[in-house]
Amino acid sequence: MFDQLFSPFSIRGKTIKNRCTVPAMVTDFCNEDGTATERYIAYHEEKAKGGWGLIITEDYNVDPLGHGFKATAGLWNDDQIKSHSELPKRVHKYGTTILAQIYHCGRQTNSGAIDGLPRSSSAIMCPFGDEIPVPLTTEEVKEMVGKYGDTALRAKKCGFDGVEIHGAHGYLITQFLSLYSNKRIDEYGGNFWNRTRFAREIIKDIREKCGEDFIIGMRISADEFVEGGLTIEDNKAIARMMEAEGLDIIHVSVGNYLSVDLNVASSHSSHGWFTDWAKAIKDVVSIPVITVSRINDPFLADSILASNKADFIAMGRASLADPEMPTKAQEGRFEDIRRCIGCNDGCIGTLFNDEPIRCVLNPELGLEYEGGIQPAEVKKNITVVGSGPAGLYAAITAAKAGHQVTVYEKGEHAGGQFYIAAIPPTKGEITDFIVWQLAQCKKLGVHIKYNTEATLELIKKTNPDSIILASGSEPILPPISGLKENSKTTFAKDILDGKVKPGSRCVIIGGGQVGAETAHFLSQMLKDVTVVEMKDTIASDAPLAIQWHLTRALKERNVIMLTGTSVVRVNENAVIVKDSHGIETELPADTIIVAAGYRAFNPLAEELAEANVNVQVQVIGDAKQVRNVLAATTEGYLAGKTV
């Protein structure tokens, strides 16, 4: 079924076994001195084991002033070679080709991450920074060219098959390529030929130092999506110039830090949404092209190749969610593929706090070095209360360890609040994960009893060896005068779940992600929607890309967003609010929707304690403390593993 996706491709005498590509993604898994850890190596090895044909590692810094995150890889000196030499060996065992991406972040960092001020092409601040970078002198630019070449040579000594030069996403090379950031008037600024000189000289230097059998790739942003930035027409010319300089493969991405919501596109962007840009580049070069972004399924990947839009398909976050996706696809195990849902919570959301990346759907990410789930020495009878993401992950993990697991769900279907989260526009892929969890439970012999509340009497009757409580949370009704008594008051979850029919004029109390996504849902139903939020921003608890897209969508649909505003009281036909200046306004409302947060719901824990039931009890997910789904799946996995 996947003749395109699983066909080999040769570059510089090296045969890449298939077109499934893991692009570079910062993990923060290395040591702060740039050396590799076992965690970092095992993370990549797991992907090679899972069948990926080409792996491009995260940014190897060419200079100690070049990193934007504290624990990224580095090959700026010879002392770092030894620790990174183990990585290509471990990946090559599975027939996978591996490239080291090399980069300098330029102005897209800060003095807290590096020992000094950021460097750049010009003295223009990064939009996300608060420091003016120091422009590299002409002589320093030439020295920097050599640093890229020296780093590539160290990568070759480590055993990497080649390098990918990071010339995208607003990093240092892009800062020279683009008039958005390059205001120089020396030989590296001004006209097109001069602005590409830095990149061209880097390719030439790497080839001279690393030889003809070394793959040189480059990642570009086909369109920066900022005023005055690079466009696809600019990059078609850039691609041809880089090919003429000796480039072997080109990786087409988009955006920079000011358009980060597009270069790490969330579920608000469609699948493979800029493959046409890759096609535009492919049409003007003869070297292979990699396309990327929101491609999370082998069927999508193969059809893009069949359309001749690209030669390789990079599926970064898809590889985080399921490092075994290529093998599962080849074996026809489609129900076993755990597909990325574009939530950006664990990967980008965590990384932007300069913490090691995680994945909402794959709690084993970053823990590969621990060796996975081990068979239990003593097989137990496990009861799981609740079939949300935490409960089902606990059930799956415990069953994999060999335990007998029964899940009790008082509702009629699985998913908990995560199912409700799938209902707003662009969030439908969440159901894919719930279906995956249910498929794994079925294969592992996990019994799920719906419409069955786990009571104290039931626990005593079934007498489990261990109980995992994942009963979730319940919505909070704030103490606002007139709210509880009003017949028009309802919760966001009941609107989304189709239990309450909304009126034509909807007022939502609470503008966090839940309230904002409920507003998005209602605005698509052509309702007049007003969101009232006490904070200064809407959806402030959402990952950045989600927040930007969501806010834009609400503006486009004329949703009224009242920030810095509190609800004073509610009467029969309206919600009365007060702004930061103390001015009250009456908002007519046919439906009053509460999205003011959740609290843990776990009555059984107290009942078990009072009854002195002598059994191991673990409380996980929202039943323990209301947080995001990342905490729920992680705690579910750990509970099932250690039960």
Side-chain angles (χ1 to χ4, degrees), residues 265-343:
S266 71
S267 60
H268 285 259
S269 296
S270 57
H271 294 128
W273 69 278
F274 60 77
T275 55
D276 286 344
W277 277 265
K279 171 63 172 172
I281 298 295
K282 185 172 169 58
D283 284 344
V284 298
V285 298
S286 59
I287 57 176
V289 171
I290 304 172
T291 193
V292 70
S293 194
R294 288 280 289 137
I295 305 168
N296 65 352
D297 187 282
F299 289 102
L300 291 171
D302 196 70
S303 66
I304 291 167
L305 293 171
S307 301
N308 200 35
K309 290 185 174 183
D311 303 287
F312 289 86
I313 308 295
M315 296 175 273
R317 286 169 294 167
S319 77
L320 302 182
D322 197 334
E324 298 180 77
M325 189 181 79
T327 296
K328 291 176 180 177
Q330 278 192 297
E331 295 175 355
R333 295 162 48 208
F334 307 123
E335 74 282 1
D336 290 337
I337 296 174
R338 194 171 36 198
R339 295 166 185 82
C340 171
I341 60 174
C343 68

Coordinates of all heavy atoms in Angstrom, one line a residue, residues 265-343:
A265 N 3.1 24.1 13.4 CA 1.6 24.3 13.3 C 0.8 23.4 14.2 O 1.1 22.2 14.3 CB 1.2 24.0 11.8
S266 N -0.2 23.9 14.8 CA -1.1 23.2 15.7 C -2.3 22.5 14.9 O -2.3 22.6 13.6 CB -1.7 24.1 16.7 OG -2.6 25.0 16.2
S267 N -3.2 22.0 15.6 CA -4.4 21.4 15.0 C -5.2 22.5 14.2 O -6.1 22.1 13.4 CB -5.3 20.7 16.0 OG -5.7 21.6 17.0
H268 N -4.9 23.7 14.4 CA -5.7 24.8 13.7 C -5.2 24.9 12.3 O -5.8 25.6 11.5 CB -5.5 26.1 14.4 CG -6.3 26.3 15.7 ND1 -7.5 26.9 15.7 CD2 -6.1 25.7 16.9 CE1 -8.0 26.9 17.0 NE2 -7.2 26.2 17.7
S269 N -4.1 24.2 11.9 CA -3.6 24.2 10.5 C -4.0 22.8 10.0 O -3.9 21.8 10.7 CB -2.1 24.4 10.5 OG -1.8 25.7 10.9
S270 N -4.2 22.8 8.7 CA -4.6 21.5 8.0 C -3.4 20.6 7.8 O -2.3 21.0 7.8 CB -5.4 21.8 6.7 OG -4.5 22.6 5.9
H271 N -3.7 19.3 7.5 CA -2.6 18.4 7.3 C -1.8 18.8 6.1 O -2.4 19.1 5.0 CB -3.2 17.0 7.1 CG -3.8 16.4 8.3 ND1 -5.1 15.9 8.4 CD2 -3.4 16.3 9.6 CE1 -5.4 15.5 9.6 NE2 -4.4 15.7 10.4
G272 N -0.5 18.7 6.2 CA 0.4 19.0 5.1 C 0.1 20.3 4.4 O 0.2 20.5 3.2
W273 N -0.2 21.3 5.2 CA -0.8 22.5 4.7 C 0.1 23.3 3.8 O -0.3 24.2 3.0 CB -1.3 23.4 5.8 CG -0.3 24.0 6.7 CD1 0.4 23.4 7.7 CD2 0.3 25.3 6.6 NE1 1.3 24.3 8.3 CE2 1.2 25.5 7.6 CE3 0.0 26.4 5.8 CZ2 2.0 26.6 7.8 CZ3 0.7 27.6 6.0 CH2 1.7 27.7 7.0
F274 N 1.5 23.1 3.9 CA 2.3 23.9 3.0 C 3.2 22.9 2.1 O 4.3 23.3 1.7 CB 3.2 24.9 3.7 CG 4.1 24.5 4.7 CD1 5.3 23.9 4.4 CD2 3.8 24.6 6.1 CE1 6.2 23.5 5.4 CE2 4.7 24.2 7.0 CZ 5.9 23.6 6.7
T275 N 2.6 21.8 1.7 CA 3.3 20.9 0.8 C 3.5 21.6 -0.6 O 4.4 21.2 -1.4 CB 2.6 19.6 0.7 OG1 1.3 19.8 0.3 CG2 2.7 18.8 2.0
D276 N 2.6 22.5 -0.9 CA 2.7 23.2 -2.2 C 4.0 24.0 -2.3 O 4.5 24.2 -3.4 CB 1.5 24.0 -2.5 CG 0.2 23.2 -2.8 OD1 0.4 22.0 -3.2 OD2 -0.9 23.8 -2.8
W277 N 4.4 24.5 -1.1 CA 5.7 25.3 -1.1 C 6.8 24.3 -1.4 O 7.8 24.7 -2.1 CB 5.9 25.9 0.2 CG 5.2 27.2 0.4 CD1 5.7 28.5 0.2 CD2 3.9 27.4 0.9 NE1 4.8 29.4 0.6 CE2 3.6 28.8 1.0 CE3 2.8 26.6 1.3 CZ2 2.4 29.4 1.4 CZ3 1.6 27.1 1.7 CH2 1.4 28.5 1.7
A278 N 6.8 23.1 -0.9 CA 7.8 22.1 -1.2 C 7.8 21.8 -2.7 O 8.9 21.7 -3.3 CB 7.6 20.9 -0.3
K279 N 6.6 21.6 -3.2 CA 6.5 21.4 -4.7 C 7.1 22.5 -5.5 O 7.8 22.3 -6.5 CB 5.0 21.2 -5.0 CG 4.7 21.1 -6.5 CD 5.3 19.9 -7.1 CE 4.8 19.7 -8.6 NZ 5.5 18.7 -9.3
A280 N 6.9 23.7 -5.1 CA 7.4 24.9 -5.8 C 8.9 24.8 -5.8 O 9.6 25.2 -6.8 CB 6.9 26.2 -5.1
I281 N 9.5 24.4 -4.7 CA 11.0 24.3 -4.6 C 11.4 23.1 -5.5 O 12.4 23.2 -6.2 CB 11.5 24.1 -3.2 CG1 11.1 25.3 -2.3 CG2 13.0 23.8 -3.1 CD1 11.8 26.6 -2.7
K282 N 10.7 22.0 -5.4 CA 11.1 20.8 -6.1 C 11.1 21.1 -7.6 O 11.9 20.5 -8.4 CB 10.1 19.7 -5.8 CG 10.5 18.3 -6.4 CD 9.6 17.2 -5.8 CE 9.7 15.9 -6.7 NZ 11.1 15.4 -6.7
D283 N 10.2 21.9 -8.1 CA 10.1 22.2 -9.5 C 11.3 23.0 -10.1 O 11.5 23.0 -11.3 CB 8.8 23.1 -9.8 CG 7.5 22.2 -9.7 OD1 7.6 21.0 -9.8 OD2 6.4 22.9 -9.6
V284 N 12.1 23.6 -9.2 CA 13.2 24.4 -9.7 C 14.6 23.8 -9.4 O 15.6 24.4 -9.8 CB 13.1 25.9 -9.2 CG1 11.8 26.5 -9.7 CG2 13.2 25.9 -7.7
V285 N 14.6 22.7 -8.7 CA 15.9 22.0 -8.3 C 15.9 20.6 -8.8 O 14.8 20.0 -9.0 CB 16.2 22.1 -6.8 CG1 16.3 23.6 -6.4 CG2 15.2 21.4 -6.0
S286 N 17.0 20.0 -8.9 CA 17.1 18.6 -9.2 C 17.5 17.7 -8.0 O 17.5 16.5 -8.1 CB 18.1 18.4 -10.3 OG 19.4 18.8 -9.9
I287 N 17.8 18.3 -6.9 CA 18.1 17.6 -5.7 C 16.8 17.2 -4.9 O 15.8 17.9 -5.1 CB 19.1 18.4 -4.7 CG1 18.4 19.7 -4.4 CG2 20.4 18.6 -5.4 CD1 19.3 20.6 -3.4
P288 N 16.9 16.2 -4.1 CA 15.6 15.8 -3.4 C 15.2 16.8 -2.4 O 16.0 17.6 -1.8 CB 16.1 14.5 -2.6 CG 17.6 14.5 -2.6 CD 18.0 15.3 -3.8
V289 N 13.9 16.8 -2.1 CA 13.2 17.8 -1.3 C 12.5 17.1 -0.2 O 11.8 16.1 -0.4 CB 12.2 18.7 -2.1 CG1 11.4 19.6 -1.2 CG2 13.0 19.5 -3.1
I290 N 12.6 17.6 1.0 CA 11.8 17.1 2.2 C 10.7 18.1 2.5 O 10.9 19.3 2.5 CB 12.7 17.0 3.5 CG1 14.0 16.2 3.2 CG2 12.0 16.5 4.6 CD1 15.0 16.2 4.3
T291 N 9.5 17.6 2.7 CA 8.4 18.4 3.1 C 8.0 18.0 4.5 O 8.4 17.0 5.0 CB 7.2 18.3 2.2 OG1 6.3 19.3 2.5 CG2 6.5 17.0 2.3
V292 N 7.3 18.9 5.2 CA 7.0 18.8 6.6 C 5.8 19.5 7.0 O 5.2 20.3 6.3 CB 8.2 19.3 7.4 CG1 8.3 20.8 7.3 CG2 8.2 18.8 8.9
S293 N 5.3 19.3 8.2 CA 4.2 20.0 9.0 C 2.9 19.3 8.9 O 2.2 19.2 7.8 CB 4.1 21.4 8.5 OG 3.3 22.2 9.4
R294 N 2.4 18.9 10.1 CA 1.1 18.3 10.3 C 0.8 17.1 9.4 O -0.3 16.9 8.9 CB 0.0 19.4 10.1 CG -0.1 20.4 11.2 CD -0.8 19.9 12.4 NE -2.2 19.8 12.1 CZ -3.0 18.8 12.5 NH1 -2.4 17.7 13.2 NH2 -4.3 18.8 12.3
I295 N 1.9 16.3 9.1 CA 1.7 15.1 8.4 C 1.9 14.0 9.4 O 3.0 13.7 9.9 CB 2.7 14.9 7.3 CG1 2.7 16.1 6.3 CG2 2.5 13.6 6.5 CD1 3.9 16.2 5.4
N296 N 0.8 13.4 9.8 CA 0.8 12.5 11.0 C 0.3 11.1 10.7 O 0.0 10.3 11.6 CB -0.1 13.1 12.1 CG -1.5 13.2 11.7 OD1 -1.9 13.0 10.6 ND2 -2.4 13.5 12.7
D297 N 0.2 10.7 9.4 CA -0.4 9.4 9.0 C 0.3 8.9 7.8 O 0.6 9.7 6.9 CB -1.9 9.6 8.7 CG -2.6 8.3 8.5 OD1 -2.4 7.7 7.4 OD2 -3.2 7.8 9.4
P298 N 0.6 7.6 7.7 CA 1.4 7.1 6.5 C 0.6 7.2 5.2 O 1.2 7.3 4.2 CB 1.6 5.6 6.9 CG 0.6 5.3 8.0 CD 0.4 6.6 8.7
F299 N -0.7 7.2 5.3 CA -1.5 7.4 4.1 C -1.3 8.8 3.5 O -1.2 9.0 2.3 CB -3.0 7.1 4.4 CG -3.3 5.6 4.6 CD1 -3.5 5.2 5.9 CD2 -3.4 4.7 3.6 CE1 -3.8 3.9 6.2 CE2 -3.7 3.4 3.8 CZ -3.9 3.0 5.1
L300 N -1.3 9.8 4.4 CA -1.1 11.1 4.0 C 0.3 11.3 3.4 O 0.5 11.8 2.3 CB -1.2 12.1 5.2 CG -2.6 12.3 5.8 CD1 -2.4 13.1 7.1 CD2 -3.5 13.1 4.8
A301 N 1.3 10.7 4.0 CA 2.7 10.8 3.6 C 2.8 10.2 2.2 O 3.5 10.7 1.3 CB 3.6 10.1 4.6
D302 N 2.3 9.0 2.0 CA 2.4 8.3 0.7 C 1.8 9.1 -0.4 O 2.3 9.1 -1.5 CB 1.9 6.9 0.8 CG 2.4 6.0 -0.3 OD1 3.6 5.7 -0.3 OD2 1.6 5.7 -1.2
S303 N 0.6 9.7 -0.1 CA -0.1 10.4 -1.2 C 0.6 11.7 -1.6 O 0.6 12.1 -2.7 CB -1.5 10.7 -0.7 OG -1.5 11.6 0.4
I304 N 1.3 12.3 -0.6 CA 2.1 13.5 -0.9 C 3.3 13.1 -1.9 O 3.6 13.8 -2.8 CB 2.6 14.1 0.4 CG1 1.4 14.7 1.1 CG2 3.6 15.2 0.0 CD1 1.8 15.2 2.6
L305 N 3.9 12.0 -1.6 CA 5.0 11.5 -2.5 C 4.4 11.1 -3.8 O 5.0 11.5 -4.9 CB 5.7 10.3 -1.8 CG 6.5 10.5 -0.5 CD1 6.9 9.2 0.1 CD2 7.7 11.4 -0.8
A306 N 3.3 10.5 -3.8 CA 2.6 10.1 -5.1 C 2.3 11.3 -5.9 O 2.2 11.3 -7.2 CB 1.4 9.2 -4.9
S307 N 2.0 12.4 -5.3 CA 1.7 13.7 -5.9 C 2.9 14.4 -6.5 O 2.8 15.5 -7.1 CB 0.9 14.6 -5.0 OG -0.3 14.1 -4.5
N308 N 4.1 13.8 -6.2 CA 5.4 14.4 -6.6 C 5.6 15.8 -6.0 O 6.3 16.6 -6.7 CB 5.4 14.4 -8.2 CG 6.9 14.6 -8.7 OD1 7.8 14.0 -8.1 ND2 7.1 15.3 -9.8
K309 N 5.1 16.0 -4.8 CA 5.4 17.3 -4.2 C 6.7 17.3 -3.4 O 7.2 18.3 -3.0 CB 4.2 17.6 -3.2 CG 2.9 17.9 -3.9 CD 1.9 18.4 -2.9 CE 0.6 18.9 -3.6 NZ -0.4 19.4 -2.7
A310 N 7.2 16.1 -3.1 CA 8.4 16.0 -2.3 C 9.0 14.6 -2.5 O 8.4 13.7 -3.1 CB 8.2 16.3 -0.8
D311 N 10.2 14.4 -2.0 CA 10.9 13.1 -2.0 C 11.0 12.4 -0.7 O 11.2 11.2 -0.6 CB 12.3 13.3 -2.6 CG 12.3 14.0 -4.0 OD1 11.9 13.3 -4.9 OD2 12.7 15.2 -4.1
F312 N 10.9 13.2 0.4 CA 10.9 12.7 1.7 C 9.9 13.4 2.6 O 9.6 14.6 2.3 CB 12.3 12.9 2.4 CG 13.4 12.1 1.8 CD1 14.1 12.5 0.7 CD2 13.8 10.9 2.4 CE1 15.1 11.8 0.2 CE2 14.8 10.1 1.9 CZ 15.5 10.5 0.8
I313 N 9.3 12.7 3.5 CA 8.3 13.2 4.4 C 8.8 13.3 5.8 O 9.0 12.3 6.4 CB 7.0 12.4 4.3 CG1 6.5 12.1 2.9 CG2 5.9 13.0 5.1 CD1 6.1 13.4 2.1
A314 N 8.9 14.5 6.3 CA 9.3 14.7 7.7 C 8.1 14.7 8.6 O 7.2 15.5 8.3 CB 10.1 16.0 7.9
M315 N 8.1 13.9 9.6 CA 6.9 13.7 10.5 C 7.5 13.8 11.9 O 7.6 12.8 12.6 CB 6.2 12.4 10.2 CG 5.6 12.4 8.9 SD 4.8 10.8 8.4 CE 6.2 9.9 7.8
G316 N 7.8 15.0 12.4 CA 8.5 15.2 13.7 C 7.6 14.8 14.8 O 7.9 13.9 15.6
R317 N 6.6 15.6 15.1 CA 5.7 15.3 16.2 C 5.0 14.0 16.1 O 4.7 13.3 17.1 CB 4.7 16.5 16.4 CG 5.4 17.7 17.0 CD 4.5 18.9 16.9 NE 4.2 19.3 15.5 CZ 3.2 20.1 15.1 NH1 2.4 20.7 16.1 NH2 3.0 20.4 13.9
A318 N 4.8 13.5 14.9 CA 4.3 12.2 14.7 C 5.2 11.1 15.2 O 4.8 10.1 15.8 CB 4.0 11.9 13.2
S319 N 6.5 11.4 15.1 CA 7.5 10.4 15.6 C 7.6 10.5 17.1 O 8.1 9.6 17.8 CB 8.9 10.7 15.0 OG 9.5 11.8 15.5
L320 N 7.3 11.7 17.7 CA 7.2 11.8 19.2 C 6.0 10.9 19.7 O 6.2 10.2 20.7 CB 7.1 13.2 19.6 CG 8.1 14.2 19.2 CD1 7.8 15.6 19.8 CD2 9.5 13.8 19.6
A321 N 4.9 11.1 19.0 CA 3.7 10.4 19.5 C 3.8 8.9 19.3 O 3.4 8.1 20.1 CB 2.5 10.9 18.7
D322 N 4.5 8.5 18.2 CA 4.7 7.0 17.9 C 6.0 6.8 17.2 O 6.0 6.9 16.0 CB 3.5 6.5 17.1 CG 3.5 5.0 17.2 OD1 4.5 4.3 17.4 OD2 2.4 4.4 17.1
P323 N 7.0 6.5 17.9 CA 8.3 6.2 17.2 C 8.3 5.0 16.4 O 9.2 4.8 15.6 CB 9.3 6.1 18.4 CG 8.5 5.7 19.6 CD 7.1 6.4 19.4
E324 N 7.3 4.1 16.5 CA 7.2 2.9 15.7 C 6.2 3.0 14.5 O 5.9 2.0 13.9 CB 6.7 1.8 16.6 CG 7.6 1.4 17.8 CD 7.0 0.2 18.6 OE1 7.0 -0.9 18.1 OE2 6.4 0.5 19.6
M325 N 5.8 4.2 14.2 CA 4.9 4.4 13.1 C 5.2 3.7 11.8 O 4.4 3.0 11.2 CB 4.5 5.9 12.9 CG 3.4 6.1 11.9 SD 3.0 7.8 11.6 CE 4.3 8.1 10.4
P326 N 6.5 3.9 11.3 CA 6.8 3.2 10.0 C 6.7 1.7 10.1 O 6.1 1.1 9.1 CB 8.3 3.6 9.8 CG 8.4 4.9 10.5 CD 7.6 4.7 11.8
T327 N 7.1 1.1 11.1 CA 7.0 -0.4 11.2 C 5.6 -0.8 11.3 O 5.1 -1.8 10.6 CB 7.8 -0.9 12.5 OG1 9.2 -0.6 12.3 CG2 7.6 -2.4 12.7
K328 N 4.8 -0.1 12.1 CA 3.3 -0.4 12.2 C 2.6 -0.3 10.8 O 1.8 -1.1 10.5 CB 2.7 0.5 13.3 CG 3.1 0.1 14.7 CD 2.5 1.1 15.7 CE 3.0 0.8 17.1 NZ 2.4 1.8 18.1
A329 N 3.0 0.8 10.1 CA 2.4 1.0 8.8 C 2.7 -0.1 7.8 O 1.9 -0.7 7.1 CB 2.8 2.3 8.2
Q330 N 4.0 -0.5 7.8 CA 4.4 -1.6 6.9 C 3.8 -2.9 7.2 O 3.5 -3.7 6.4 CB 6.0 -1.8 7.0 CG 6.7 -0.8 6.1 CD 8.2 -1.2 6.0 OE1 8.9 -1.2 7.0 NE2 8.6 -1.5 4.8
E331 N 3.5 -3.1 8.5 CA 2.8 -4.4 9.0 C 1.3 -4.3 8.9 O 0.6 -5.3 9.2 CB 3.3 -4.7 10.4 CG 4.8 -5.0 10.5 CD 5.3 -5.2 11.9 OE1 4.4 -5.0 12.8 OE2 6.4 -5.6 12.1
G332 N 0.8 -3.1 8.5 CA -0.7 -3.0 8.3 C -1.4 -2.9 9.7 O -2.6 -3.1 9.8
R333 N -0.7 -2.5 10.7 CA -1.2 -2.3 12.1 C -1.7 -0.9 12.3 O -1.3 -0.2 13.1 CB -0.2 -2.7 13.1 CG 0.2 -4.2 13.1 CD 1.5 -4.5 13.8 NE 1.5 -3.8 15.1 CZ 2.6 -3.4 15.7 NH1 3.8 -3.6 15.1 NH2 2.5 -2.9 16.9
F334 N -2.7 -0.5 11.4 CA -3.1 0.9 11.5 C -3.8 1.3 12.7 O -3.7 2.5 13.2 CB -4.0 1.2 10.2 CG -3.3 0.8 8.9 CD1 -4.0 -0.1 8.1 CD2 -2.1 1.3 8.6 CE1 -3.4 -0.5 6.9 CE2 -1.5 0.9 7.4 CZ -2.2 0.0 6.5
E335 N -4.5 0.4 13.4 CA -5.2 0.7 14.6 C -4.2 0.9 15.8 O -4.6 1.5 16.8 CB -6.2 -0.4 14.9 CG -5.6 -1.7 15.5 CD -5.0 -2.6 14.4 OE1 -5.1 -2.2 13.2 OE2 -4.6 -3.7 14.7
D336 N -3.0 0.5 15.6 CA -2.0 0.6 16.6 C -1.2 1.9 16.5 O -0.4 2.2 17.4 CB -1.0 -0.6 16.6 CG -1.6 -1.9 17.0 OD1 -2.6 -1.8 17.7 OD2 -1.1 -3.0 16.6
I337 N -1.3 2.6 15.4 CA -0.6 3.9 15.3 C -1.2 5.0 16.1 O -2.4 5.2 16.1 CB -0.5 4.3 13.8 CG1 0.2 3.3 12.9 CG2 0.1 5.7 13.7 CD1 0.2 3.6 11.5
R338 N -0.3 5.6 17.0 CA -0.7 6.7 17.9 C -0.4 8.0 17.1 O 0.7 8.4 17.1 CB 0.0 6.5 19.2 CG -0.4 7.3 20.3 CD 0.3 6.9 21.6 NE 1.7 6.5 21.3 CZ 2.5 5.8 22.1 NH1 2.0 5.3 23.2 NH2 3.7 5.5 21.8
R339 N -1.4 8.6 16.6 CA -1.2 9.8 15.7 C -1.2 11.1 16.5 O -2.0 11.3 17.4 CB -2.3 9.8 14.6 CG -2.2 8.6 13.7 CD -3.5 8.5 12.8 NE -3.5 7.4 12.0 CZ -3.8 6.1 12.4 NH1 -4.2 6.0 13.7 NH2 -3.8 5.1 11.6
C340 N -0.2 11.9 16.1 CA -0.1 13.3 16.7 C -1.4 14.0 16.5 O -2.0 14.0 15.4 CB 1.1 14.0 16.1 SG 1.2 15.7 16.6
I341 N -1.9 14.8 17.5 CA -3.1 15.5 17.4 C -2.9 17.0 17.3 O -3.8 17.8 17.3 CB -4.1 15.2 18.6 CG1 -3.4 15.6 19.9 CG2 -4.5 13.8 18.6 CD1 -4.3 15.5 21.1
G342 N -1.6 17.4 17.2 CA -1.3 18.8 17.0 C -1.6 19.7 18.2 O -2.0 20.9 18.0
C343 N -1.6 19.2 19.4 CA -2.0 19.9 20.6 C -0.9 20.9 21.0 O -1.1 21.9 21.7 CB -2.3 19.0 21.7 SG -1.0 18.1 22.4

